[in-house]
Amino acid sequence: MHARPYNFYAGPAVLPQEVLEQAQSEMNNYGATGLSLMEISHRSPIYDAIHNETQLLFKELLQLPDEYHVLFLPGGASLQFSMIPMNFLTPGKVANYILSGLWAEKAIEEACKVGDVYVSFSGKANNFTKMPSLQDIQVHTQMDAYLHITSNETVNGTQLHHFPVIQDVPLIADMSSDILSRPFDISKFAVIYAGAQKNLGPAGVTIVILREEALPQHTTSLPAMLDYRTYIKHNSLYNTPPVYPIYMVNLVLKWIKHSGGLNIMEKRNEEKARLIYDAIDQSGGFYKGLAHPASRSLMNITFKIWNDELEKRFIQEASTQQLVGLEGHRSVGHIRASVYNALPYKACQALAEFMKEFQKRYS
Ligand SMILES: *Cc1c(COP(=O)(O)O)cnc(C)c1O
């Protein structure tokens, strides 16, 4: 393959080079069928093997207890913002949300269309620079249908470093931008979900990992495609699943497994993020991190430069040096370096070097 730029896009985002190469080599002849995987039935044994193996890889990497289902859904994490309340917010109960950033805000907006919602913690007054501490996360056992958290706020660059243990209220998490970046105890959660295009693969499939007994009984029936039970009952094959994105996720999971699993991912992610946070903290104020230090994300590193013009120049010059995708989200601006699992250490080294060199030239 040609030399590729270092890819700091927030999503869709960098994929492991090995994965792209394997997909390329199998593109028009998968498993000696003479056909592309995109051209064969989702009910064929060839696809079935990929489907089931992908579920098994999740089970293995996350050490999932038996009562959890791994589901493949369309519609992105955004559809989950609606499906979670449709399936879990029963009449007479209230959904409890942690408003930690832009994505949590969107999840709340959708839940409000379905039923009663309250926000038990809001970081809005702090401009979403801080995640709640464990003491800030409270539930009301009799009242709450569930508690919804966002493990990593992709736009704001904050991350929850500890998950609460909640008794008697299902804990639900949007893990779109940090799933499989570190080990965690899944048994605390009723549901976790993640769009694939940050840390798992290409856009087009959303992973939902769900404990079936946490699903409340419904008196009215939901449309089939919006009901988790449909996906459980049909093993996510009620309709045609996004077969190619699932195949790509399969390759990414194998890459994680062969790299050494989630402990290794976490260690690498810490080392990578440290390079860039150090460049910020050792710049004497030339660069300033946007997130409170205790809430800093290992996946999305947000920072600014004291002068707007310089910021534009930074992004522009970086791109000419093959460091791409550093613009902050349009709602926040400034600079954001997304450093997901698949981004190599040397990309972060190159960015940290560029930051130091840029500072020397412009301070
Ligand atoms: C990207 C993202 C989403 C939205 O994902 P879509 O797949 O575009 O719907 C939701 N939550 C978080 C945390 C994200 O990073």
Side-chain angles (χ1 to χ4, degrees), residues 147-181:
L147 170 70
H148 183 281
I149 62 176
T150 309
S151 57
N152 186 74
E153 286 285 359
T154 324
V155 169
N156 310 90
T158 57
Q159 189 172 25
L160 265 178
H161 295 297
H162 306 282
F163 295 126
V165 180
I166 304 288
Q167 308 293 346
D168 305 318
V169 173
L171 179 62
I172 298 179
D174 177 357
M175 294 197 176
S176 291
S177 50
D178 68 350
I179 190 171
L180 302 191
S181 67

PDB file of all heavy atoms in Angstrom, residues 147-181:
ATOM      1  N   LEU A 147     -30.712   4.257  33.988  1.00  0.00           N
ATOM      2  CA  LEU A 147     -29.769   5.367  34.019  1.00  0.00           C
ATOM      3  C   LEU A 147     -28.929   5.299  32.744  1.00  0.00           C
ATOM      4  O   LEU A 147     -28.343   4.260  32.440  1.00  0.00           O
ATOM      5  CB  LEU A 147     -28.852   5.261  35.241  1.00  0.00           C
ATOM      6  CG  LEU A 147     -27.672   6.243  35.258  1.00  0.00           C
ATOM      7  CD1 LEU A 147     -28.150   7.679  35.477  1.00  0.00           C
ATOM      8  CD2 LEU A 147     -26.665   5.872  36.337  1.00  0.00           C
ATOM      9  N   HIS A 148     -28.877   6.414  32.011  1.00  0.00           N
ATOM     10  CA  HIS A 148     -28.120   6.450  30.749  1.00  0.00           C
ATOM     11  C   HIS A 148     -26.869   7.310  30.908  1.00  0.00           C
ATOM     12  O   HIS A 148     -26.948   8.465  31.334  1.00  0.00           O
ATOM     13  CB  HIS A 148     -28.996   7.015  29.627  1.00  0.00           C
ATOM     14  CG  HIS A 148     -28.315   7.025  28.285  1.00  0.00           C
ATOM     15  ND1 HIS A 148     -27.389   7.993  27.924  1.00  0.00           N
ATOM     16  CD2 HIS A 148     -28.412   6.183  27.226  1.00  0.00           C
ATOM     17  CE1 HIS A 148     -26.955   7.736  26.693  1.00  0.00           C
ATOM     18  NE2 HIS A 148     -27.554   6.648  26.243  1.00  0.00           N
ATOM     19  N   ILE A 149     -25.732   6.716  30.560  1.00  0.00           N
ATOM     20  CA  ILE A 149     -24.471   7.469  30.589  1.00  0.00           C
ATOM     21  C   ILE A 149     -23.793   7.406  29.216  1.00  0.00           C
ATOM     22  O   ILE A 149     -24.114   6.536  28.391  1.00  0.00           O
ATOM     23  CB  ILE A 149     -23.492   6.929  31.664  1.00  0.00           C
ATOM     24  CG1 ILE A 149     -23.102   5.470  31.369  1.00  0.00           C
ATOM     25  CG2 ILE A 149     -24.094   7.047  33.064  1.00  0.00           C
ATOM     26  CD1 ILE A 149     -22.071   4.896  32.334  1.00  0.00           C
ATOM     27  N   THR A 150     -22.879   8.313  28.987  1.00  0.00           N
ATOM     28  CA  THR A 150     -22.068   8.321  27.759  1.00  0.00           C
ATOM     29  C   THR A 150     -20.626   8.147  28.221  1.00  0.00           C
ATOM     30  O   THR A 150     -20.100   9.008  28.929  1.00  0.00           O
ATOM     31  CB  THR A 150     -22.251   9.656  27.005  1.00  0.00           C
ATOM     32  OG1 THR A 150     -23.656   9.897  26.849  1.00  0.00           O
ATOM     33  CG2 THR A 150     -21.563   9.641  25.654  1.00  0.00           C
ATOM     34  N   SER A 151     -20.009   7.036  27.862  1.00  0.00           N
ATOM     35  CA  SER A 151     -18.705   6.728  28.453  1.00  0.00           C
ATOM     36  C   SER A 151     -17.606   7.658  27.958  1.00  0.00           C
ATOM     37  O   SER A 151     -16.648   7.943  28.675  1.00  0.00           O
ATOM     38  CB  SER A 151     -18.321   5.274  28.185  1.00  0.00           C
ATOM     39  OG  SER A 151     -18.308   5.016  26.797  1.00  0.00           O
ATOM     40  N   ASN A 152     -17.756   8.135  26.736  1.00  0.00           N
ATOM     41  CA  ASN A 152     -16.746   9.027  26.158  1.00  0.00           C
ATOM     42  C   ASN A 152     -17.459  10.058  25.289  1.00  0.00           C
ATOM     43  O   ASN A 152     -18.184   9.683  24.374  1.00  0.00           O
ATOM     44  CB  ASN A 152     -15.750   8.221  25.325  1.00  0.00           C
ATOM     45  CG  ASN A 152     -14.589   9.056  24.810  1.00  0.00           C
ATOM     46  OD1 ASN A 152     -13.693   9.425  25.556  1.00  0.00           O
ATOM     47  ND2 ASN A 152     -14.604   9.368  23.512  1.00  0.00           N
ATOM     48  N   GLU A 153     -17.263  11.318  25.617  1.00  0.00           N
ATOM     49  CA  GLU A 153     -17.895  12.383  24.826  1.00  0.00           C
ATOM     50  C   GLU A 153     -16.926  12.804  23.728  1.00  0.00           C
ATOM     51  O   GLU A 153     -15.991  13.588  23.940  1.00  0.00           O
ATOM     52  CB  GLU A 153     -18.312  13.558  25.718  1.00  0.00           C
ATOM     53  CG  GLU A 153     -19.552  13.268  26.568  1.00  0.00           C
ATOM     54  CD  GLU A 153     -20.872  13.293  25.781  1.00  0.00           C
ATOM     55  OE1 GLU A 153     -20.859  13.550  24.556  1.00  0.00           O
ATOM     56  OE2 GLU A 153     -21.920  13.052  26.404  1.00  0.00           O
ATOM     57  N   THR A 154     -17.192  12.282  22.550  1.00  0.00           N
ATOM     58  CA  THR A 154     -16.346  12.410  21.372  1.00  0.00           C
ATOM     59  C   THR A 154     -16.064  13.869  20.988  1.00  0.00           C
ATOM     60  O   THR A 154     -14.972  14.199  20.539  1.00  0.00           O
ATOM     61  CB  THR A 154     -17.062  11.728  20.190  1.00  0.00           C
ATOM     62  OG1 THR A 154     -17.752  10.585  20.680  1.00  0.00           O
ATOM     63  CG2 THR A 154     -16.105  11.322  19.108  1.00  0.00           C
ATOM     64  N   VAL A 155     -17.078  14.711  21.140  1.00  0.00           N
ATOM     65  CA  VAL A 155     -16.969  16.101  20.709  1.00  0.00           C
ATOM     66  C   VAL A 155     -16.203  16.928  21.741  1.00  0.00           C
ATOM     67  O   VAL A 155     -15.350  17.754  21.407  1.00  0.00           O
ATOM     68  CB  VAL A 155     -18.386  16.689  20.497  1.00  0.00           C
ATOM     69  CG1 VAL A 155     -18.335  18.197  20.313  1.00  0.00           C
ATOM     70  CG2 VAL A 155     -19.054  16.015  19.295  1.00  0.00           C
ATOM     71  N   ASN A 156     -16.507  16.690  23.006  1.00  0.00           N
ATOM     72  CA  ASN A 156     -15.933  17.504  24.074  1.00  0.00           C
ATOM     73  C   ASN A 156     -14.568  17.005  24.540  1.00  0.00           C
ATOM     74  O   ASN A 156     -13.816  17.746  25.167  1.00  0.00           O
ATOM     75  CB  ASN A 156     -16.916  17.564  25.240  1.00  0.00           C
ATOM     76  CG  ASN A 156     -18.319  17.957  24.769  1.00  0.00           C
ATOM     77  OD1 ASN A 156     -19.121  17.089  24.432  1.00  0.00           O
ATOM     78  ND2 ASN A 156     -18.585  19.242  24.669  1.00  0.00           N
ATOM     79  N   GLY A 157     -14.275  15.743  24.259  1.00  0.00           N
ATOM     80  CA  GLY A 157     -12.973  15.203  24.657  1.00  0.00           C
ATOM     81  C   GLY A 157     -12.899  14.815  26.120  1.00  0.00           C
ATOM     82  O   GLY A 157     -11.849  14.943  26.749  1.00  0.00           O
ATOM     83  N   THR A 158     -14.024  14.340  26.663  1.00  0.00           N
ATOM     84  CA  THR A 158     -14.038  13.875  28.061  1.00  0.00           C
ATOM     85  C   THR A 158     -14.425  12.400  28.109  1.00  0.00           C
ATOM     86  O   THR A 158     -15.114  11.900  27.220  1.00  0.00           O
ATOM     87  CB  THR A 158     -15.041  14.684  28.909  1.00  0.00           C
ATOM     88  OG1 THR A 158     -16.336  14.565  28.310  1.00  0.00           O
ATOM     89  CG2 THR A 158     -14.639  16.146  29.007  1.00  0.00           C
ATOM     90  N   GLN A 159     -13.983  11.745  29.177  1.00  0.00           N
ATOM     91  CA  GLN A 159     -14.216  10.302  29.293  1.00  0.00           C
ATOM     92  C   GLN A 159     -14.488   9.954  30.755  1.00  0.00           C
ATOM     93  O   GLN A 159     -13.867  10.521  31.662  1.00  0.00           O
ATOM     94  CB  GLN A 159     -12.973   9.545  28.799  1.00  0.00           C
ATOM     95  CG  GLN A 159     -13.163   8.046  28.659  1.00  0.00           C
ATOM     96  CD  GLN A 159     -11.964   7.386  27.971  1.00  0.00           C
ATOM     97  OE1 GLN A 159     -10.844   7.897  28.009  1.00  0.00           O
ATOM     98  NE2 GLN A 159     -12.196   6.234  27.354  1.00  0.00           N
ATOM     99  N   LEU A 160     -15.406   9.032  30.956  1.00  0.00           N
ATOM    100  CA  LEU A 160     -15.661   8.510  32.308  1.00  0.00           C
ATOM    101  C   LEU A 160     -14.600   7.464  32.606  1.00  0.00           C
ATOM    102  O   LEU A 160     -14.518   6.457  31.901  1.00  0.00           O
ATOM    103  CB  LEU A 160     -17.024   7.831  32.357  1.00  0.00           C
ATOM    104  CG  LEU A 160     -18.243   8.608  32.839  1.00  0.00           C
ATOM    105  CD1 LEU A 160     -19.470   7.721  32.749  1.00  0.00           C
ATOM    106  CD2 LEU A 160     -18.069   9.138  34.251  1.00  0.00           C
ATOM    107  N   HIS A 161     -13.817   7.690  33.649  1.00  0.00           N
ATOM    108  CA  HIS A 161     -12.748   6.730  33.935  1.00  0.00           C
ATOM    109  C   HIS A 161     -13.174   5.642  34.907  1.00  0.00           C
ATOM    110  O   HIS A 161     -12.474   4.655  35.076  1.00  0.00           O
ATOM    111  CB  HIS A 161     -11.502   7.477  34.415  1.00  0.00           C
ATOM    112  CG  HIS A 161     -10.937   8.361  33.337  1.00  0.00           C
ATOM    113  ND1 HIS A 161     -10.453   7.851  32.139  1.00  0.00           N
ATOM    114  CD2 HIS A 161     -10.832   9.706  33.239  1.00  0.00           C
ATOM    115  CE1 HIS A 161     -10.056   8.853  31.370  1.00  0.00           C
ATOM    116  NE2 HIS A 161     -10.282   9.984  31.999  1.00  0.00           N
ATOM    117  N   HIS A 162     -14.341   5.837  35.551  1.00  0.00           N
ATOM    118  CA  HIS A 162     -14.885   4.789  36.424  1.00  0.00           C
ATOM    119  C   HIS A 162     -16.378   4.687  36.182  1.00  0.00           C
ATOM    120  O   HIS A 162     -17.038   5.705  36.004  1.00  0.00           O
ATOM    121  CB  HIS A 162     -14.632   5.125  37.892  1.00  0.00           C
ATOM    122  CG  HIS A 162     -13.189   5.383  38.183  1.00  0.00           C
ATOM    123  ND1 HIS A 162     -12.268   4.372  38.315  1.00  0.00           N
ATOM    124  CD2 HIS A 162     -12.510   6.546  38.318  1.00  0.00           C
ATOM    125  CE1 HIS A 162     -11.078   4.907  38.536  1.00  0.00           C
ATOM    126  NE2 HIS A 162     -11.188   6.219  38.532  1.00  0.00           N
ATOM    127  N   PHE A 163     -16.888   3.482  36.207  1.00  0.00           N
ATOM    128  CA  PHE A 163     -18.327   3.309  36.018  1.00  0.00           C
ATOM    129  C   PHE A 163     -18.989   3.038  37.362  1.00  0.00           C
ATOM    130  O   PHE A 163     -18.431   2.338  38.202  1.00  0.00           O
ATOM    131  CB  PHE A 163     -18.602   2.148  35.062  1.00  0.00           C
ATOM    132  CG  PHE A 163     -18.090   2.407  33.672  1.00  0.00           C
ATOM    133  CD1 PHE A 163     -17.239   1.501  33.049  1.00  0.00           C
ATOM    134  CD2 PHE A 163     -18.444   3.557  32.991  1.00  0.00           C
ATOM    135  CE1 PHE A 163     -16.751   1.737  31.768  1.00  0.00           C
ATOM    136  CE2 PHE A 163     -17.962   3.806  31.707  1.00  0.00           C
ATOM    137  CZ  PHE A 163     -17.115   2.893  31.099  1.00  0.00           C
ATOM    138  N   PRO A 164     -20.193   3.594  37.543  1.00  0.00           N
ATOM    139  CA  PRO A 164     -20.885   3.390  38.814  1.00  0.00           C
ATOM    140  C   PRO A 164     -21.414   1.955  38.927  1.00  0.00           C
ATOM    141  O   PRO A 164     -21.630   1.298  37.908  1.00  0.00           O
ATOM    142  CB  PRO A 164     -22.053   4.378  38.736  1.00  0.00           C
ATOM    143  CG  PRO A 164     -22.313   4.539  37.272  1.00  0.00           C
ATOM    144  CD  PRO A 164     -20.978   4.404  36.601  1.00  0.00           C
ATOM    145  N   VAL A 165     -21.607   1.510  40.152  1.00  0.00           N
ATOM    146  CA  VAL A 165     -22.341   0.263  40.382  1.00  0.00           C
ATOM    147  C   VAL A 165     -23.719   0.687  40.854  1.00  0.00           C
ATOM    148  O   VAL A 165     -23.846   1.360  41.871  1.00  0.00           O
ATOM    149  CB  VAL A 165     -21.659  -0.596  41.465  1.00  0.00           C
ATOM    150  CG1 VAL A 165     -22.447  -1.883  41.677  1.00  0.00           C
ATOM    151  CG2 VAL A 165     -20.228  -0.901  41.065  1.00  0.00           C
ATOM    152  N   ILE A 166     -24.723   0.356  40.068  1.00  0.00           N
ATOM    153  CA  ILE A 166     -26.080   0.807  40.360  1.00  0.00           C
ATOM    154  C   ILE A 166     -26.914  -0.413  40.719  1.00  0.00           C
ATOM    155  O   ILE A 166     -26.932  -1.385  39.948  1.00  0.00           O
ATOM    156  CB  ILE A 166     -26.700   1.475  39.099  1.00  0.00           C
ATOM    157  CG1 ILE A 166     -25.822   2.625  38.599  1.00  0.00           C
ATOM    158  CG2 ILE A 166     -28.112   1.934  39.367  1.00  0.00           C
ATOM    159  CD1 ILE A 166     -25.825   3.837  39.442  1.00  0.00           C
ATOM    160  N   GLN A 167     -27.598  -0.372  41.855  1.00  0.00           N
ATOM    161  CA  GLN A 167     -28.460  -1.501  42.235  1.00  0.00           C
ATOM    162  C   GLN A 167     -29.875  -1.250  41.718  1.00  0.00           C
ATOM    163  O   GLN A 167     -30.391  -0.160  41.860  1.00  0.00           O
ATOM    164  CB  GLN A 167     -28.516  -1.657  43.770  1.00  0.00           C
ATOM    165  CG  GLN A 167     -27.167  -1.734  44.458  1.00  0.00           C
ATOM    166  CD  GLN A 167     -26.381  -2.996  44.122  1.00  0.00           C
ATOM    167  OE1 GLN A 167     -26.934  -3.952  43.576  1.00  0.00           O
ATOM    168  NE2 GLN A 167     -25.101  -3.009  44.434  1.00  0.00           N
ATOM    169  N   ASP A 168     -30.481  -2.256  41.171  1.00  0.00           N
ATOM    170  CA  ASP A 168     -31.919  -2.263  40.847  1.00  0.00           C
ATOM    171  C   ASP A 168     -32.366  -1.315  39.740  1.00  0.00           C
ATOM    172  O   ASP A 168     -33.553  -1.221  39.473  1.00  0.00           O
ATOM    173  CB  ASP A 168     -32.774  -1.977  42.099  1.00  0.00           C
ATOM    174  CG  ASP A 168     -32.438  -2.946  43.222  1.00  0.00           C
ATOM    175  OD1 ASP A 168     -32.278  -4.139  42.923  1.00  0.00           O
ATOM    176  OD2 ASP A 168     -32.304  -2.491  44.373  1.00  0.00           O
ATOM    177  N   VAL A 169     -31.474  -0.575  39.146  1.00  0.00           N
ATOM    178  CA  VAL A 169     -31.839   0.269  38.002  1.00  0.00           C
ATOM    179  C   VAL A 169     -30.907  -0.128  36.859  1.00  0.00           C
ATOM    180  O   VAL A 169     -29.693  -0.152  37.046  1.00  0.00           O
ATOM    181  CB  VAL A 169     -31.674   1.771  38.329  1.00  0.00           C
ATOM    182  CG1 VAL A 169     -31.888   2.622  37.092  1.00  0.00           C
ATOM    183  CG2 VAL A 169     -32.635   2.201  39.439  1.00  0.00           C
ATOM    184  N   PRO A 170     -31.464  -0.466  35.679  1.00  0.00           N
ATOM    185  CA  PRO A 170     -30.582  -0.852  34.564  1.00  0.00           C
ATOM    186  C   PRO A 170     -29.643   0.290  34.168  1.00  0.00           C
ATOM    187  O   PRO A 170     -30.077   1.429  34.015  1.00  0.00           O
ATOM    188  CB  PRO A 170     -31.551  -1.176  33.418  1.00  0.00           C
ATOM    189  CG  PRO A 170     -32.883  -1.382  34.059  1.00  0.00           C
ATOM    190  CD  PRO A 170     -32.891  -0.549  35.308  1.00  0.00           C
ATOM    191  N   LEU A 171     -28.383  -0.033  34.028  1.00  0.00           N
ATOM    192  CA  LEU A 171     -27.387   0.945  33.592  1.00  0.00           C
ATOM    193  C   LEU A 171     -27.161   0.757  32.087  1.00  0.00           C
ATOM    194  O   LEU A 171     -26.884  -0.356  31.633  1.00  0.00           O
ATOM    195  CB  LEU A 171     -26.084   0.737  34.364  1.00  0.00           C
ATOM    196  CG  LEU A 171     -24.911   1.656  34.015  1.00  0.00           C
ATOM    197  CD1 LEU A 171     -25.239   3.120  34.295  1.00  0.00           C
ATOM    198  CD2 LEU A 171     -23.651   1.241  34.786  1.00  0.00           C
ATOM    199  N   ILE A 172     -27.294   1.847  31.350  1.00  0.00           N
ATOM    200  CA  ILE A 172     -27.196   1.803  29.884  1.00  0.00           C
ATOM    201  C   ILE A 172     -26.132   2.804  29.443  1.00  0.00           C
ATOM    202  O   ILE A 172     -26.114   3.940  29.929  1.00  0.00           O
ATOM    203  CB  ILE A 172     -28.568   2.150  29.247  1.00  0.00           C
ATOM    204  CG1 ILE A 172     -29.601   1.095  29.685  1.00  0.00           C
ATOM    205  CG2 ILE A 172     -28.463   2.254  27.726  1.00  0.00           C
ATOM    206  CD1 ILE A 172     -31.002   1.322  29.156  1.00  0.00           C
ATOM    207  N   ALA A 173     -25.257   2.387  28.534  1.00  0.00           N
ATOM    208  CA  ALA A 173     -24.174   3.290  28.140  1.00  0.00           C
ATOM    209  C   ALA A 173     -24.010   3.382  26.627  1.00  0.00           C
ATOM    210  O   ALA A 173     -23.997   2.374  25.920  1.00  0.00           O
ATOM    211  CB  ALA A 173     -22.853   2.838  28.760  1.00  0.00           C
ATOM    212  N   ASP A 174     -23.866   4.616  26.176  1.00  0.00           N
ATOM    213  CA  ASP A 174     -23.407   4.875  24.813  1.00  0.00           C
ATOM    214  C   ASP A 174     -21.878   4.822  24.859  1.00  0.00           C
ATOM    215  O   ASP A 174     -21.239   5.684  25.457  1.00  0.00           O
ATOM    216  CB  ASP A 174     -23.896   6.264  24.370  1.00  0.00           C
ATOM    217  CG  ASP A 174     -23.392   6.655  22.984  1.00  0.00           C
ATOM    218  OD1 ASP A 174     -22.623   5.887  22.373  1.00  0.00           O
ATOM    219  OD2 ASP A 174     -23.780   7.748  22.514  1.00  0.00           O
ATOM    220  N   MET A 175     -21.315   3.774  24.247  1.00  0.00           N
ATOM    221  CA  MET A 175     -19.855   3.607  24.235  1.00  0.00           C
ATOM    222  C   MET A 175     -19.295   3.771  22.832  1.00  0.00           C
ATOM    223  O   MET A 175     -18.251   3.206  22.492  1.00  0.00           O
ATOM    224  CB  MET A 175     -19.470   2.230  24.790  1.00  0.00           C
ATOM    225  CG  MET A 175     -19.792   2.036  26.250  1.00  0.00           C
ATOM    226  SD  MET A 175     -18.872   0.636  26.932  1.00  0.00           S
ATOM    227  CE  MET A 175     -19.358   0.738  28.655  1.00  0.00           C
ATOM    228  N   SER A 176     -19.989   4.555  22.004  1.00  0.00           N
ATOM    229  CA  SER A 176     -19.619   4.628  20.586  1.00  0.00           C
ATOM    230  C   SER A 176     -18.151   4.936  20.349  1.00  0.00           C
ATOM    231  O   SER A 176     -17.539   4.399  19.440  1.00  0.00           O
ATOM    232  CB  SER A 176     -20.456   5.690  19.875  1.00  0.00           C
ATOM    233  OG  SER A 176     -21.799   5.277  19.801  1.00  0.00           O
ATOM    234  N   SER A 177     -17.584   5.842  21.157  1.00  0.00           N
ATOM    235  CA  SER A 177     -16.234   6.278  20.812  1.00  0.00           C
ATOM    236  C   SER A 177     -15.149   5.720  21.727  1.00  0.00           C
ATOM    237  O   SER A 177     -13.994   6.120  21.602  1.00  0.00           O
ATOM    238  CB  SER A 177     -16.167   7.808  20.747  1.00  0.00           C
ATOM    239  OG  SER A 177     -16.716   8.380  21.907  1.00  0.00           O
ATOM    240  N   ASP A 178     -15.504   4.790  22.630  1.00  0.00           N
ATOM    241  CA  ASP A 178     -14.392   4.155  23.356  1.00  0.00           C
ATOM    242  C   ASP A 178     -14.572   2.656  23.603  1.00  0.00           C
ATOM    243  O   ASP A 178     -13.787   2.059  24.348  1.00  0.00           O
ATOM    244  CB  ASP A 178     -14.052   4.901  24.653  1.00  0.00           C
ATOM    245  CG  ASP A 178     -15.128   4.809  25.717  1.00  0.00           C
ATOM    246  OD1 ASP A 178     -16.234   4.319  25.408  1.00  0.00           O
ATOM    247  OD2 ASP A 178     -14.867   5.238  26.860  1.00  0.00           O
ATOM    248  N   ILE A 179     -15.555   2.054  22.947  1.00  0.00           N
ATOM    249  CA  ILE A 179     -15.736   0.612  23.136  1.00  0.00           C
ATOM    250  C   ILE A 179     -14.469  -0.131  22.689  1.00  0.00           C
ATOM    251  O   ILE A 179     -13.820   0.246  21.712  1.00  0.00           O
ATOM    252  CB  ILE A 179     -16.974   0.115  22.358  1.00  0.00           C
ATOM    253  CG1 ILE A 179     -17.297  -1.334  22.758  1.00  0.00           C
ATOM    254  CG2 ILE A 179     -16.800   0.259  20.847  1.00  0.00           C
ATOM    255  CD1 ILE A 179     -18.620  -1.854  22.219  1.00  0.00           C
ATOM    256  N   LEU A 180     -14.085  -1.094  23.471  1.00  0.00           N
ATOM    257  CA  LEU A 180     -12.892  -1.934  23.228  1.00  0.00           C
ATOM    258  C   LEU A 180     -11.569  -1.160  23.296  1.00  0.00           C
ATOM    259  O   LEU A 180     -10.537  -1.633  22.827  1.00  0.00           O
ATOM    260  CB  LEU A 180     -12.985  -2.692  21.891  1.00  0.00           C
ATOM    261  CG  LEU A 180     -14.180  -3.625  21.699  1.00  0.00           C
ATOM    262  CD1 LEU A 180     -13.979  -4.489  20.449  1.00  0.00           C
ATOM    263  CD2 LEU A 180     -14.429  -4.520  22.893  1.00  0.00           C
ATOM    264  N   SER A 181     -11.614   0.031  23.897  1.00  0.00           N
ATOM    265  CA  SER A 181     -10.357   0.769  24.072  1.00  0.00           C
ATOM    266  C   SER A 181      -9.694   0.416  25.401  1.00  0.00           C
ATOM    267  O   SER A 181      -8.561   0.807  25.655  1.00  0.00           O
ATOM    268  CB  SER A 181     -10.616   2.277  24.034  1.00  0.00           C
ATOM    269  OG  SER A 181     -11.369   2.673  25.173  1.00  0.00           O
TER     270      SER A 181
END
